[in-house]
Amino acid sequence: MKHSLFCVVVTLLALGARAQTPTAVDPLMAALEAELSRSVDGLKLDGVERPYFILYAVNDTDSQRIDASFGAVRNNSRDRMRTLRTEVRVGSHDLDNSGFAGGRFPLFTPRFLPLEDNVMALRHEIWLATDEAYKSAAELLAQKKGVLAGRVEPDRPPDFSCEEPSVSIDSRHNARPIDARWVDRVKRLSALFRAYPAVQESWVSLFASATNTFLVSSEGSRILQTNQLGHLWFRASVQAPNGAVLSLEKGLWELDLASLPSEEQVAGQIRRFAEEMSALASAPAAENYAGPVLFVEQAAPALFGDLLEPHLRGSRPPLTPQPLPAALAQESELASKLGRAVLPDFLDVVDDPLSGRWNGEALVGGYAFDDEGIPAQKVTLVEKGVLKTLLMSRRPRKGIAQSNGHGRAGSAGPPEPQAGNIIIKALQGMSEEELKKELVRRALAHGLSFGVVIRALSNVAPQQPPMQAGPLPRQRVSPPVLVSRVYPDGREEPVRGLIFGDLSVKSLREIVAAGKKSWIDSGWSRPGGPVSSMAAPSVLFDELELESDRSPQARPALLSNPYFESPPAR
């Protein structure tokens, strides 16, 4: 009852604020506001109540990508796109058409808008999207009520939280084409792989984008925020004697191209990367292992990204005509553990979308307002190992009634609780050298002659074409790629062909030590989804199981690379 009364007050205040909102100067914002006002006042089907909430969000993105391989450009494309997300809710905050997976119609209807600032052409598309979304919402609510009529669900949370509207208007940022000097730079960097015969496939890519996000809602929110990204990454694939293809990407992220490292610095990273991958091609196949394992460099944040981050989301499973099996509900395994230990007591976890850097390195998952118009918030998720809360959108769940500014949608799909910039801090960190010594000490205590250090987890989808290559959606534990045995004398021996045994979010309780230094891993949470960053220290497990990968492998290449049979003059 208190929730409903609060919503009524917020709605009345929003109506007053909407009446006082000045006419937008920006043509796209003007088109959105005009259709919003018309829809709020005029949308009505016979026998169906008016929408109680309407939201329009537009991502206006200008991006350019360059791919080069073996010294030649294979792609140089520029893309401009305006995507409209229309959200229409019928019913009330307590019960509406959202959160129901049994119907034929989606809650959110994406639509491409004209690229020109022609107000009537824009309004035409917005009108069509709104009409479709309202009719779909009416049918969904009727179906949902039918399912609920046959069930008893005590203490069912509301479908939509009541929040204060936000108003913030930035200036549009217009992207500039990538300078031709960048094209030459990417070509030269890709040619560095010519010095490494063991590398079968390689490329270097550069991506730059500028996005203007417009959001208006019937509650009174009016937002225009801008975001820029600069991303340079390189990939290499090698093939072991048994035919196993081993691939890895390494990426450099910044908030703009100008902040990326110099060509000389990137060249040094590519050479080290190519040497690591070449050594991996000739490394011996590893046998099953159970003992201490140290995660460093990219492997540390990638591990937390795979195991922890999905379970920090406060997603609430949708209502379905038939109850979903637990395996399909996609609910956090930690959702029932608020106030309980989920990590060792020397680890803290926060998500801070308002931070742009961590220890001097870029965090690219930042934003000022989420995709529901809620101000971004720094959220303490885990304190001294104890779970304090979850990342929340405006879809309440039992025990958490309000959003904390983490409803993120990206370029497609509905807003869902997702990370911005997760930062994991060790309260009593060790140096990297101390961690390696502790790894060896524990290995000897287990009666082993070596410990295992993992430097990188796979971030390349198998059999993925070059144009679509990129970090995997974080839905499972990625297999290790750069793995070495560490001996008591400090010697390291690369090995290959290992996969994780039984490893889950519960395994993180078994971390026995962490480092002082943080490593950062960034990427898209899912295809078309938002970018996020994970900063985490190196972590040591006293015992993990690694198994030899016995899956079928591809046949080795029949002929050698022609370049190395008769290389041209360099």
Side-chain angles (χ1 to χ4, degrees), residues 34 36 92 178 180 200 209 294 299 340 353 367 413 427 453 466 531:
L36 178 66
S92 68
I178 294 178
Q200 285 191 348
S209 69
L294 176 62
R340 296 166 57 185
Y367 52 91
L427 305 181
V453 61
V531 174

Side-chain angles (χ1 to χ4, degrees), residues 382-435:
V382 179
E383 187 174 20
K384 295 183 178 179
V386 176
L387 183 65
K388 296 298 184 180
T389 191
L390 299 171
L391 302 173
M392 291 297 296
S393 66
R394 292 188 66 174
R395 180 166 166 78
R397 61 172 302 118
K398 188 175 180 179
I400 309 178
Q402 302 298 133
S403 169
N404 52 28
H406 284 81
R408 307 192 68 198
S411 61
E416 298 173 349
Q418 292 191 59
N421 297 317
I422 288 187
I423 301 169
I424 300 175
K425 297 180 284 188
L427 305 181
Q428 300 170 349
M430 302 170 67
S431 70
E432 298 302 296
E433 190 60 33
E434 288 171 336
L435 283 172

Side-chain angles (χ1 to χ4, degrees), residues 356-370:
R357 308 197 79 78
W358 179 250
N359 292 339
E361 294 189 56
L363 299 173
V364 295
Y367 52 91
F369 297 88
D370 73 4

Side-chain angles (χ1 to χ4, degrees), residues 206-541:
L206 181 71
F207 175 81
S209 69
T211 299
N212 298 296
T213 299
F214 299 76
L215 184 148
V216 301
S217 80
S218 56
E219 291 177 330
S221 288
R222 299 292 185 275
I223 296 169
L224 167 54
Q225 60 180 338
T226 64
N227 176 271
Q228 296 182 73
L229 278 179
H231 180 30
L232 188 149
W233 70 101
F234 37 93
R235 173 180 172 174
S237 296
V238 298
Q239 191 169 27
N242 70 341
V245 177
L246 308 164
S247 301
L248 190 65
E249 284 186 3
K250 286 198 173 182
L252 305 169
W253 292 82
E254 276 293 349
L255 301 178
D256 57 75
L257 285 184
S259 300
L260 287 170
S262 68
E263 181 177 353
E264 183 179 1
Q265 291 173 312
V266 177
Q269 293 191 39
I270 289 178
R271 291 189 182 97
R272 288 191 295 273
F273 173 64
E275 290 167 2
E276 287 178 322
M277 295 300 290
S278 298
L280 186 62
S282 57
E287 298 298 326
N288 292 352
Y289 173 86
V293 177
L294 176 62
F295 291 79
V296 302
E297 300 176 17
Q298 178 262 10
L303 176 74
F304 284 104
D306 284 343
L307 286 184
L308 181 63
E309 190 274 338
H311 298 286
L312 294 174
R313 304 175 189 176
S315 303
R316 181 171 134 209
L319 176 71
T320 55
Q322 300 297 325
L324 283 174
L328 299 178
Q330 296 185 337
E331 187 170 18
S332 164
E333 292 182 23
L334 302 181
S336 62
K337 297 185 177 180
L338 290 173
R340 296 166 57 185
V342 296
L343 291 175
D345 61 7
F346 52 82
L347 291 179
D348 286 348
V349 183
V350 301
D351 188 290
D352 188 3
L354 301 172
S355 178
R357 308 197 79 78
W358 179 250
N359 292 339
E361 294 189 56
L363 299 173
V364 295
Y367 52 91
F369 297 88
D370 73 4
D371 291 311
E372 296 180 303
I374 307 302
Q377 300 176 35
K378 180 179 179 180
V379 178
T380 297
L381 298 162
V382 179
E383 187 174 20
K384 295 183 178 179
V386 176
L387 183 65
K388 296 298 184 180
T389 191
L390 299 171
L391 302 173
M392 291 297 296
S393 66
R394 292 188 66 174
R395 180 166 166 78
R397 61 172 302 118
K398 188 175 180 179
I400 309 178
Q402 302 298 133
S403 169
N404 52 28
H406 284 81
R408 307 192 68 198
S411 61
E416 298 173 349
Q418 292 191 59
N421 297 317
I422 288 187
I423 301 169
I424 300 175
K425 297 180 284 188
L427 305 181
Q428 300 170 349
M430 302 170 67
S431 70
E432 298 302 296
E433 190 60 33
E434 288 171 336
L435 283 172
K436 284 181 65 174
K437 290 180 179 178
E438 182 64 12
L439 168 71
V440 172
R441 186 192 71 78
R442 288 179 177 269
L444 295 175
H446 279 269
L448 302 170
S449 60
F450 59 84
V452 167
V453 61
I454 299 176
R455 288 191 163 80
L457 303 187
S458 176
N459 57 3
V460 176
Q463 300 180 342
Q464 201 173 12
M467 287 296 293
Q468 300 299 320
L472 286 170
R474 290 170 174 169
Q475 298 173 349
R476 59 181 178 82
V477 183
S478 305
V481 177
L482 296 181
V483 184
S484 295
R485 297 168 176 162
V486 181
Y487 293 92
D489 61 2
R491 177 171 53 93
E492 294 193 23
E493 177 189 21
V495 293
R496 59 174 175 80
L498 287 170
I499 57 176
F500 290 112
D502 186 18
L503 192 59
S504 70
V505 65
K506 297 177 183 178
S507 305
L508 297 175
R509 291 286 308 276
E510 307 305 317
I511 294 172
V512 294
K516 296 177 182 177
K517 180 178 173 60
S518 285
W519 310 94
I520 296 177
D521 188 35
S522 299
W524 285 275
S525 58
R526 55 182 167 79
V531 174
S532 62
S533 290
M534 171 74 73
S538 300
V539 289
L540 174 63
F541 290 80

Side-chain angles (χ1 to χ4, degrees), residues 88 105-106 109-111 126-138:
V88 175
F105 303 102
T109 308
R111 195 179 192 93
I126 300 166
W127 161 65
L128 290 173
T130 309
D131 185 75
E132 179 185 6
Y134 176 49
K135 293 172 182 175
S136 300

